[in-house]
Amino acid sequence: MNGKREKTSRTLDFPYVSVPDEINFFIYPPMKSSLGHETFCLKDKLDLDKAYLKEDLFTIYVSIPYCRTKCNSCCCFRGFLPDNADKNSFLNDYLNVLISQIKAYADTIRVTSSKCGAIYIGGGTASVLTVNQVERLINVLKNSFNMTLDIEINLEGNPLDFSLNYLENIKKSGVTRLSIGYQSGQNITLEALNTAHRRKTALESLNNALSVGFEAVNVDLLFNVPGQTFEQWKKDIEIILKVKPESISVGNYVVFPGSKAEDLIKNGHLKQQHDLDIEYEWYLWTVEKLKEYNYSEQVRGIFTQPNHRQKYVQLSCNSSSEILGFGAGAYSFINGYQFTITKDSEIYKNQVKNGLYFEADSLSPKASYKNLMERYIIHNFYSAKLNRIDFYNKFKKDPMDIFHEIFTKLKQHSLVKINDQKIELTELGKKWRKNIYYEFHSKEIKYEQN
């Protein structure tokens, strides 16, 4: 899940609740940024010197914060891979710093007393790493942490990097799941996105990945890109369904405020996006089409074949497990604190080289017990349903007892269905799910956001 958010910048006239624009619903409690170049020191807050007494697995997110190009509207961009440097030496320097931070966390009691169930290597563009660098990173992770026997190691990247030789060798290094930033099979759409690759490369990388035999291959697709037609979107889906990867992620394209895409649209160089009602029709068509081919939705926009659920998503989102984030721009959730490391890789490297392993430039208040329940509900509604038994096993309370007023109101508006086993979003509820997420933001947090 790499903190990707559903579109919130264009809010429909919902008669029930108003949602502030640009809330990242994955991050809860919300974080506050430090001032200037000050940072938050976290070591004492995270209780790293105390054993973690719960049986929950944790996940690891590793940020490789470099890209060759900047897409026109991307919330994951951290910085460019420099053109005027020895790229191998440059990335080795970053990797050395990254590994020293990994080892600092791995030496703590909290981490050694628990077990990792999934690793996500993202960015930026994780595939800028060479095969040897991927192998070195994975070896350090495996040697530093207790891991489950069925550990999932996911690497995401650009089709330009996914030659057959590269893919065969990173699989030998331990990568079990691959995520391809395919985005579209239409050059006109890829040009609107300003991606580094084009259709031919995207298809070649996909065929290479499927031939290698990873446990799962995920293909990222974007819809409602400026200028994209429904016929083009249908063709994109149909092309992917012919090769049938284990997982397909479909994301509604977000034009973020201040992005190049926003400027291009204002100046008439890109077309306006379709409105949210049309966009939602595209999404509904996609759900039904993928269902015909035996894909089901794990969380909003991530569709998998049976027995290929993404473990990182399951643990980080549905189970609300702790997340250890390493590298510039990485996010974590430890001991009730949500925090991010500076996005500036040079600042990050200087901090770590000076022994400041446990620093953050954005930090949430510590989540109360009720905040943890709110977080759990929000994240499970990404999957459109909340299992009441699982909730009780985790919190020793029934969600209907704690949030009776909210669930009653949601039911009155035909947004949820409730029985003894689960609370499930209706089709109307799925359309308005970001408004439903917001219902579970505490009053204090809503006040601060407004």
Side-chain angles (χ1 to χ4, degrees), residues 57-62 114-121 137-155 171 173-178 214-216 309-313 315-316 322:
L57 300 174
F58 67 87
T59 62
I60 291 174
Y61 179 80
V62 181
S114 52
K115 189 173 287 189
C116 178
I119 298 169
Y120 195 101
I121 306 172
L137 174 59
I138 290 175
N139 284 340
V140 168
L141 290 167
K142 285 185 172 180
N143 291 330
S144 299
F145 301 100
N146 300 317
M147 296 188 177
T148 58
L149 294 176
D150 61 347
I151 185 76
E152 174 188 270
I153 302 178
N154 190 107
L155 184 136
K171 182 176 182 292
S173 298
V175 173
T176 65
R177 187 182 186 95
L178 193 79
F214 291 96
E215 290 180 16
R309 293 299 206 213
Q310 187 174 336
K311 294 174 188 172
Y312 184 85
V313 169
L315 292 170
S316 300
E322 294 205 335

Side-chain angles (χ1 to χ4, degrees), residues 70-74 188-195 198 225-227 253-273:
K70 183 178 182 180
C71 296
N72 285 334
S73 186
C74 178
I188 191 169
T189 303
L190 295 171
E191 288 165 7
L193 293 169
N194 193 39
T195 62
R198 290 297 177 262
V225 177
Y253 186 66
V254 180
V255 177
F256 289 96
S259 67
K260 185 178 180 181
E262 183 185 54
D263 185 60
L264 290 169
I265 291 170
K266 284 180 179 178
N267 290 297
H269 299 298
L270 283 179
K271 293 183 178 180
Q272 290 282 350
Q273 289 180 287

